Amino acid sequence: MSQPLGTLSAAFERVGALVDEAQSTSRLAPVTVIVPSRASGIDLRRYLARHANHGNGVLNVSTYTLGDLASMLFEQTGSVQGRRAMFPEAWRGAVRAELEHQPGVFAAVWDQPATSRALARACEILDAVGLGNEQHRPLVAEVVRIYSAASARLSGGWFTPTDQATVAITALSDATVASRLGTLIAFALPEASAPLDAKLLDALRAGPAFREVRLEPDASILDTATVVTAPDSDEECREIARQVVERIRTGVNGNRIGVFWGSSTPYRVLLNKHLSDAGVVVNGPGGRELADTALARSVLAMLALDSDSIDPHAVLDIIADGVLSWRDGTLPSSAQCERMFASEGVDEPVVEPRRIVSFVDLEEENVEVELLSIVARRQSVFDSYLAAVAETLVRLALVTSWSEASESLLELLDEHFQPIQAAQTDEAVAARAQLVGILTNVRFLDGIAGRPTIAAARESVGAAVVGLVSRTGSIGVGVSLGPLKSGVGRDLDEVFIVGLAEGITPARQWEDPLIPDDVRTLWGLPVLAERVEQQRRLFLSVAAGASHSLILTAPRGDLRGAGDRELSRWLSSVSGKAAIEVGSHHAGIALGTPGSSPLPTTREMWRLRAALGSIDPPPAQVVTLARKMRRDRRLGEFTRFTGNLAPVAQLISVAENTISATSLEDWASSPYFYFLRHVLGVRPRNLREEGIEPDALDLGVITHRVLELFTLGVLAGVDGAAGRKALTRIASAVFEEARKDTWFEHLWRRHQQRMLHELVQWWKREVSGDEWHPFSAEASFGPRNDDTSTSVPFTLDDGSEIWFHGKIDRVDRLPDGSVRVIDYKTGGSKKYDDLAEETPTANGHFYQLPVYGIYAREQSAAGGTAGPVSMTYDFLSANTSRGYHLTDAVIATFRTDVSLVITAIRSGIFPPKRASGPFSTFTDRVGTDQLNDMWPRLVARPELAGVARLWPEDKV
């Protein structure tokens, strides 16, 4: 076994050395690295790409967590066939059915949801241990009995992580599997907490090509840490948000910062809130459980209603949550419904009815009648809705199977909780998707749980939504948040570990009464003290990942009451170091000095400090410009901040040089990104990596080269040059020349077969008859090195002239004197659907064919063989073409559209439209959501009326 390492940087270096060693004879030798988490796997692959193989990157290196490896091997062995992955509701359903059948010692509480939840958790633990015939105390024996009965109900059609690990252990002894995995490296894995995980790791260690990189830092790793304390957890998280913002402002990338907690309560919610308020992008567990969302809460509240007597006030509570939307009608607003029942239950003397409108003198009676009619209609609609709710619940009560219950529950969601467009935040969309998944899974409880009732359905759904948290963001994008276990093996510059106070981290833990420690010892499960020690090792492992700064924070008090908290025992080695004490934000407001940050991090802080006069505001001009920029982008005003460069248009000279047709297409795609690329010269970052197979760009270059050489051979008069064999021979030579060492042979062979098939189809369509008459291949026009030029001049509507340059894939001269221009396309043809002689630029988006046609006509005229000219896009993969003839009408349309674009460029019009293709990098940098939100309003501005016709579908 290898010596443990004390720092994560040393562990990364060791893995890099092991990968180089494993691939010393072939860079394609397979290497499989077992990592603590998927995020650490991404970090490791990025590290190897930068440092392994002398900085040239690596190939055929895979990373898996232990669970992912077991899942992959389970699927590859075919064991998954006809079986479904176990989910928590299945365990709970089986446990609940067994309790209903034979409650045993749980007779007094068998019907309580907490009972089935606790026993289901125990069953998941017991599923990972080997149970013998031991004699246990009555409570433990009853837990084992219920587990055995629930497992029997679930046998056959389900599989658990235990099944996956068991199959994986057997599969690892197969030589074929071992060969496919190659060299196995375990990287910074924490101690296995389940016996089966330990057995799987032992099976990996038994292999001849196994290497292990162990990370076991000691407390000295904390010597350079900064300790920060705050009045309570809320202030602690506010301070962390401030420090994160300051680091990002000084140039630290957000994806190099990690914030981790030992206890999710209250830090998951507070960190998400404060970092979001500060505008920091994060990835990790979201701030709220599904159970805390309005949708889940409202659905459960509806399932709690009595169908025989719907309580209108309970329905009003559901309406007030803001997610109820009736599919079959429009309900009065929450306020209107509340007013209908505002006076109910109040004992008042019998008097004349109050006048609803006492301030109207003209036709007063008619007004009152009309208002009474409105109220009556609202009451009628509300009463109809109560009847619809009752009908929904009656249908659910009549189901005879869980499959029918699932359908009824989904129908309830669809009928009463239609998505409200104005409320469709990312969190709301994720919550609905999660809830739909839960309601769908209910159908699998047939044969497992007992008889479906509304109460059982509510219990099942209610248990499923508790503790279910959706992820926010994407791994590797923004600041990482998560529990301590998610921070092991992460390659980070700045690491924050929060909540380091006694009672929080380590959290208070109690012995499990269902599986006490003496039984855990018997079954090989960690006991209470061992679990605390495992958490301490996780803490040190996470701390070891900070390559620049380690910040340890703790609350001095409790959010819920008075009293002081002590620093965590884990900080005993740094207890002598003076901690930085952060003051109270709220006390600072009262004293006129909120917070300690030299620069506010949220809008609230800016407003407070400005109001209290506690900071010097930035220069007025900067604030004014910043506010104007945000306002203009929010409202879609066309100004200097949204692409209006008219005041400096005279500095833009790009249209005075020769231009290409495709550059005009870039402007039509996104004027702003045209400005970045063609005016400022900012090039999109080239993120292409040498993969295991050719990408679309590689395939396009190869195909064009084959067609060019084939056509040149025909033009040279080589005997047999136009035959199919010649095409095949040239293709084979080009394929061989283009092949890269990184491409897998079977994948490259598949691409060759597809390209050759497309080329042969093209040959049959274009060459096999007697109608093929090529005149030139790859003909270029534009400035030459000898100071001469064949650029194509073109006069615009305003009388000014521009010059085009370019290269034409092929020009044919037909026997009747006509000329055909062909441009090969290896991609799809869908975006060219609008291209026709009547719309030769597809509403101003494509300019290649007219430019190429004009050049071909001029060259023909210069040679004395002027004739009709046609232009065609030849789509090789679709084995089709699209084009038109060059007519006066085509040139007129082309002139109008080109004049529009050139005039816009010369006038400094570069509005920011979202771009794709080569400009997608720019779009991602600026922010796709912001561009999508701003563009419909911006394109409707009167200043852009002239060019807005290019994007008719984008107007609001």
Side-chain angles (χ1 to χ4, degrees):
M1 184 176 288
S2 62
Q3 285 293 110
L5 302 173
T7 64
L8 189 63
S9 59
F12 274 114
E13 291 175 5
R14 179 62 179 151
V15 172
L18 291 174
V19 169
D20 284 341
E21 177 186 325
Q23 295 187 332
S24 58
T25 57
S26 170
R27 298 312 304 184
L28 295 179
V31 177
T32 300
V33 186
I34 312 302
V35 293
S37 66
R38 293 175 181 174
S40 67
I42 292 175
D43 286 352
L44 179 61
R45 291 197 299 273
R46 289 176 176 174
Y47 175 87
L48 294 174
R50 295 193 306 269
H51 300 287
N53 189 21
H54 307 292
N56 294 317
V58 294
L59 291 167
N60 212 16
V61 176
S62 304
T63 58
Y64 296 96
T65 64
L66 270 176
D68 287 342
L69 178 66
S71 177
M72 183 264 291
L73 294 176
F74 186 75
E75 291 182 11
Q76 289 184 350
T77 59
S79 301
V80 72
Q81 295 298 325
R83 303 170 72 184
R84 183 173 301 279
M86 183 72 71
F87 56 95
E89 291 86 353
W91 273 120
R92 286 192 287 266
V95 167
R96 187 168 54 247
E98 179 58 27
L99 287 173
E100 186 175 4
H101 170 67
Q102 186 178 344
V105 299
F106 300 103
V109 293
W110 75 269
D111 57 345
Q112 298 300 309
T115 304
S116 57
R117 284 201 298 268
L119 286 169
R121 285 194 298 269
C123 287
E124 293 183 58
I125 294 173
L126 294 183
D127 194 57
V129 302
L131 297 178
N133 297 319
E134 305 91 353
Q135 296 297 315
H136 301 291
R137 70 193 74 170
L139 179 61
V140 176
E142 193 69 0
V143 171
V144 173
R145 179 189 68 79
I146 291 173
Y147 161 69
S148 300
S151 297
R153 289 175 177 269
L154 296 167
S155 62
W158 301 84
F159 65 85
T160 67
T162 298
D163 298 322
Q164 292 177 316
T166 302
V167 170
I169 290 171
T170 303
L172 287 171
S173 61
D174 188 313
T176 303
V177 172
S179 174
R180 187 167 62 246
L181 295 176
T183 300
L184 287 163
I185 302 173
F187 168 66
L189 296 182
E191 184 179 352
S193 57
L196 209 60
D197 288 344
K199 290 180 180 179
L200 179 56
L201 194 53
D202 287 342
L204 292 170
R205 290 190 178 108
F210 179 83
R211 306 288 185 271
E212 187 164 12
V213 178
R214 295 161 55 208
L215 178 64
E216 294 183 11
D218 56 31
S220 64
I221 199 75
L222 308 179
D223 291 346
T224 59
T226 300
V227 180
V228 179
T229 66
D232 55 40
S233 300
D234 185 53
E235 300 287 4
E236 181 187 3
C237 294
R238 191 189 309 275
E239 173 64 13
I240 288 168
R242 183 192 70 78
Q243 292 205 26
V244 167
V245 169
E246 286 192 351
R247 281 162 172 76
I248 292 174
R249 282 174 176 159
T250 58
V252 179
N253 287 329
N255 62 1
R256 303 290 301 170
I257 301 174
V259 184
F260 305 103
W261 57 73
S263 174
S264 61
T265 304
Y267 290 98
R268 175 171 49 78
V269 174
L270 291 176
L271 285 169
N272 271 282
K273 176 186 181 301
H274 285 294
L275 289 169
S276 175
D277 288 347
V280 177
V281 176
V282 301
N283 72 84
R288 290 204 294 177
E289 292 183 2
L290 180 56
D292 297 327
T293 62
L295 181 61
R297 188 168 58 242
S298 297
V299 169
L300 291 173
M302 184 167 287
L303 291 175
L305 297 173
D306 182 356
S307 60
D308 294 330
S309 179
I310 300 294
D311 181 359
H313 293 90
V315 175
L316 291 177
D317 291 340
I318 297 174
I319 294 175
D321 255 334
V323 292
L324 194 151
S325 177
W326 190 20
R327 182 188 60 194
D328 301 330
T330 302
L331 285 169
S333 69
S334 176
Q336 291 166 346
C337 291
E338 290 284 354
R339 282 196 290 271
M340 286 190 293
F341 292 88
S343 61
E344 280 194 5
V346 179
D347 293 328
E348 294 182 351
V350 178
V351 296
E352 275 189 50
R354 290 174 296 170
R355 298 172 64 85
I356 296 180
V357 181
S358 59
F359 53 83
V360 177
D361 295 326
L362 184 61
E363 299 180 357
E364 184 176 284
E365 291 184 3
N366 292 335
V367 173
E368 290 189 15
V369 169
E370 183 177 347
L371 291 177
L372 285 169
S373 177
I374 292 173
V375 173
R377 285 200 300 270
R378 289 174 180 168
Q379 182 69 58
S380 176
V381 171
F382 188 76
D383 290 344
S384 298
Y385 181 68
L386 295 181
V389 172
E391 183 180 347
T392 298
L393 294 175
V394 168
R395 286 198 304 269
L396 182 57
L398 294 176
V399 300
T400 58
S401 68
W402 284 102
S403 297
E404 293 178 4
S406 174
E407 293 177 5
S408 293
L409 289 168
L410 290 169
E411 174 65 16
L412 179 149
L413 184 68
D414 185 61
E415 180 180 358
H416 301 282
F417 299 97
Q418 287 281 298
I420 300 173
Q421 195 59 38
Q424 287 305 287
T425 62
D426 291 343
E427 182 184 64
V429 172
R432 188 176 188 86
Q434 286 180 315
L435 190 57
V436 167
I438 290 171
L439 301 184
T440 302
N441 282 343
V442 166
R443 72 181 190 271
F444 300 121
L445 296 182
D446 280 327
I448 299 173
R451 183 176 61 87
T453 63
I454 293 181
R458 185 176 189 276
E459 179 184 337
S460 178
V461 175
V465 300
V466 173
L468 187 59
V469 179
S470 63
R471 281 194 61 85
T472 181
S474 303
I475 295 177
V477 179
V479 175
S480 295
L481 299 181
L484 284 175
K485 65 180 181 181
S486 70
V488 179
R490 296 298 311 277
D491 182 18
L492 301 168
D493 293 334
E494 313 281 337
V495 171
F496 294 81
I497 303 179
V498 305
L500 290 169
E502 283 297 309
I504 301 178
T505 307
R508 291 190 180 94
Q509 297 190 40
W510 291 269
E511 189 173 348
D512 186 347
L514 298 181
I515 312 178
D517 277 359
D518 59 332
V519 178
R520 283 178 171 268
T521 301
L522 181 65
W523 288 336
L525 294 169
V527 298
L528 180 61
E530 291 171 337
R531 295 199 297 275
V532 173
E533 176 59 20
Q534 287 175 356
Q535 193 179 28
R536 187 188 72 85
R537 292 174 186 168
L538 280 178
F539 162 67
L540 293 176
S541 296
V542 175
S547 62
H548 186 266
S549 299
L550 173 62
I551 302 90
L552 310 175
T553 69
R556 299 191 296 271
D558 193 331
L559 280 171
R560 298 180 177 178
D564 295 334
R565 287 190 179 276
E566 295 182 3
L567 281 179
S568 171
R569 71 194 78 164
W570 295 346
L571 299 183
S572 59
S573 64
V574 293
S575 58
K577 181 183 295 187
I580 299 174
E581 293 191 0
V582 177
S584 168
H585 167 74
H586 298 289
I589 293 175
L591 297 173
T593 57
S596 59
S597 171
L599 191 62
T601 57
T602 66
R603 283 180 287 185
E604 177 196 14
M605 289 295 295
W606 275 108
R607 289 194 297 266
L608 280 171
R609 293 197 182 191
L612 295 170
S614 59
I615 62 169
D616 294 329
Q621 182 183 11
V622 174
V623 174
T624 300
L625 289 174
R627 292 178 64 182
K628 180 169 175 54
M629 178 184 71
R630 290 175 62 86
R631 177 186 178 278
D632 292 348
R633 291 181 176 178
R634 185 179 70 254
L635 299 180
E637 300 283 351
F638 189 49
T639 67
R640 61 188 288 189
F641 300 112
T642 54
N644 185 355
L645 301 185
V648 293
Q650 71 277 6
L651 301 177
I652 301 171
S653 60
V654 63
E656 312 313 317
N657 304 317
T658 61
I659 60 177
S660 68
T662 52
S663 71
L664 298 182
E665 295 174 2
D666 288 343
W667 190 94
S669 173
S670 177
Y672 176 63
F673 297 115
Y674 171 93
F675 171 75
L676 292 178
R677 171 66 182 87
H678 297 282
V679 179
L680 297 185
V682 178
R683 293 187 175 274
R685 216 173 141 197
N686 183 8
L687 298 178
R688 292 185 68 223
E689 299 178 356
E690 296 298 344
I692 61 176
E693 60 182 325
D695 60 17
L697 181 59
D698 293 321
L699 298 174
V701 170
I702 292 169
T703 301
H704 275 73
R705 181 59 175 163
V706 173
L707 293 171
E708 177 188 3
L709 293 177
F710 178 76
T711 306
L712 290 175
V714 173
L715 293 174
V718 177
D719 187 33
R724 178 172 172 174
K725 290 184 178 179
L727 177 67
T728 304
R729 184 176 63 254
I730 291 172
S732 298
V734 173
F735 292 166
E736 182 60 32
E737 181 183 359
R739 188 191 186 285
K740 296 180 181 178
D741 292 339
T742 59
W743 295 347
F744 282 9
E745 187 60 37
H746 68 285
L747 298 178
W748 171 224
R749 191 182 310 114
R750 184 182 63 188
H751 284 295
Q752 291 181 74
Q753 292 169 351
R754 184 177 62 80
M755 284 190 290
L756 186 58
H757 172 74
E758 292 175 357
L759 289 166
V760 170
Q761 291 298 111
W762 168 85
W763 180 87
K764 290 178 179 179
R765 175 166 47 87
E766 290 281 325
V767 186
S768 60
D770 297 328
E771 302 301 321
W772 197 51
H773 302 279
F775 177 72
S776 67
E778 298 295 328
S780 61
F781 54 95
R784 300 180 183 276
N785 293 331
D786 58 1
D787 295 329
T788 64
S789 177
T790 57
S791 301
V792 175
F794 189 75
T795 303
L796 304 178
D797 284 341
D798 62 2
S800 64
E801 196 172 61
I802 59 174
W803 296 77
F804 285 107
H805 66 263
K807 180 181 285 189
I808 305 175
D809 289 337
R810 195 181 90 231
V811 177
D812 292 351
R813 182 167 292 168
L814 306 181
D816 62 1
S818 63
V819 174
R820 185 166 70 129
V821 175
I822 296 93
D823 188 72
Y824 300 126
K825 297 293 182 185
T826 54
S829 61
K830 183 172 179 57
K831 70 177 182 178
Y832 299 94
D833 283 350
D834 294 334
L835 205 65
E837 192 164 317
E838 297 77 20
T839 54
T841 65
N843 193 32
H845 288 273
F846 301 110
Y847 297 97
Q848 281 181 291
L849 293 187
V851 171
Y852 294 170
I854 293 171
Y855 169 74
R857 188 178 67 175
E858 291 187 356
Q859 293 299 303
S860 297
T865 58
V869 176
S870 63
M871 302 83 68
T872 301
Y873 283 133
D874 197 341
F875 300 102
L876 300 173
S877 58
N879 193 29
T880 187
S881 61
R882 187 184 300 276
Y884 47 82
H885 287 82
L886 184 69
T887 63
D888 291 342
V890 166
I891 294 176
T893 302
F894 173 67
R895 191 186 314 278
T896 299
D897 291 343
V898 170
S899 297
L900 178 68
V901 174
I902 295 297
T903 299
I905 293 172
R906 288 172 173 171
S907 302
I909 297 177
F910 302 99
K913 176 176 169 56
R914 177 186 176 185
S916 57
F919 293 126
S920 59
T921 301
F922 289 144
T923 291
D924 295 340
R925 291 282 185 182
V926 174
T928 302
D929 292 340
Q930 292 86 339
L931 289 177
N932 287 342
D933 184 58
M934 174 177 59
W935 177 250
R937 294 190 295 273
L938 183 62
V939 77
R941 300 297 302 174
E943 302 95 318
L944 297 177
V947 297
R949 71 172 180 83
L950 298 182
W951 313 288
E953 71 282 358
D954 292 335
K955 294 182 181 179
V956 292

